[in-house]
Amino acid sequence: MAYSPLRQLRNIEHEKTTSKILRESVQVLAFSCIISTFGGIGLELVRDKLLLFIPFLILVPAMNEMVGGFGAIVTSKFTTALFTKQIKRERVWTSPFVQSLFTSTMAAAIITALYMGGVAYLLAFIKGFPFSVPLFVNVIGVSLLATIMLVTIIFLVSIIGGLYVHKKGHDPDNYLIPIATGIADLGSMLVLAGVLVWLF
């Protein structure tokens, strides 16, 4: 019988594991899209101000990607530790693994936030945005504060959500990585929208 990619795809779709992943993923991806949409609405309300302040315009997509990436890392590492029994459910918050994961994630996030803020302002300056020490400090401060807040929230969501989903017998990765990405989108957009309203 000749090889048929379409027939192979249909066979895969009927596999129990594949159908379960697809079923779970569609639901959580829809929820994640809804979360991200609210963030987009927040930015739309301050679109004119955002276009005037180029450093934040550059910072938004970078921050979304960075925070979402940290959410995926935390979720995958915590889930792996949970399934390999490196963590006891009743002692999660005092676990050396979880504490080390939080410390290393936050340290990397802070360094990345400082770098992103500086590069965003540098690129804006190259494009003709005027240099001002107070504005530069504001950009760095907002990048740093927003990153610390969002990474902390994502870390808590990943741990608490991971424990809940694991208890229900599901794979936390299928649920929490898309949700973490959606929270990163919503949080970074809302924080930057709020800052723009405050600055202008």
Side-chain angles (χ1 to χ4, degrees), residues 34-72:
I34 292 172
I35 294 176
S36 298
T37 300
F38 282 110
I41 293 172
L43 279 187
E44 179 64 23
L45 296 175
V46 294
R47 180 181 57 181
D48 294 338
K49 296 177 180 179
L50 183 61
L51 292 175
L52 291 174
F53 202 77
I54 299 176
F56 280 162
L57 185 62
I58 298 171
L59 194 58
V60 169
M63 185 172 292
N64 287 352
E65 186 69 25
M66 184 266 291
V67 177
F70 280 124

Side-chain angles (χ1 to χ4, degrees), residues 2-83:
Y3 171 76
S4 172
L6 182 60
R7 183 180 292 109
Q8 186 182 36
L9 179 60
R10 287 174 179 170
N11 291 336
I12 291 175
E13 289 176 345
H14 284 86
E15 292 180 7
K16 183 177 180 181
T17 303
T18 304
S19 61
K20 179 181 178 182
I21 292 173
L22 289 174
R23 185 176 63 254
E24 293 176 351
S25 298
V26 167
Q27 295 173 355
V28 74
L29 283 174
F31 179 67
S32 176
C33 288
I34 292 172
I35 294 176
S36 298
T37 300
F38 282 110
I41 293 172
L43 279 187
E44 179 64 23
L45 296 175
V46 294
R47 180 181 57 181
D48 294 338
K49 296 177 180 179
L50 183 61
L51 292 175
L52 291 174
F53 202 77
I54 299 176
F56 280 162
L57 185 62
I58 298 171
L59 194 58
V60 169
M63 185 172 292
N64 287 352
E65 186 69 25
M66 184 266 291
V67 177
F70 280 124
I73 291 171
V74 170
T75 298
S76 61
K77 285 184 175 292
F78 177 72
T79 299
T80 300
L82 204 56
F83 275 107

Side-chain angles (χ1 to χ4, degrees), residues 60-132:
V60 169
M63 185 172 292
N64 287 352
E65 186 69 25
M66 184 266 291
V67 177
F70 280 124
I73 291 171
V74 170
T75 298
S76 61
K77 285 184 175 292
F78 177 72
T79 299
T80 300
L82 204 56
F83 275 107
T84 56
K85 302 188 184 302
Q86 298 179 51
I87 302 174
K88 294 183 178 180
R89 294 179 57 90
E90 62 276 8
R91 297 180 181 176
V92 169
W93 301 110
T94 58
S95 165
F97 179 89
V98 172
Q99 292 177 352
S100 175
L101 181 60
F102 178 77
T103 302
S104 58
T105 301
M106 188 58 72
I110 289 173
I111 293 172
T112 306
L114 294 172
Y115 171 77
M116 283 194 316
V119 170
Y121 206 100
L122 176 61
L123 291 175
F125 178 72
I126 292 173
K127 291 295 183 179
F129 189 80
F131 181 79
S132 167

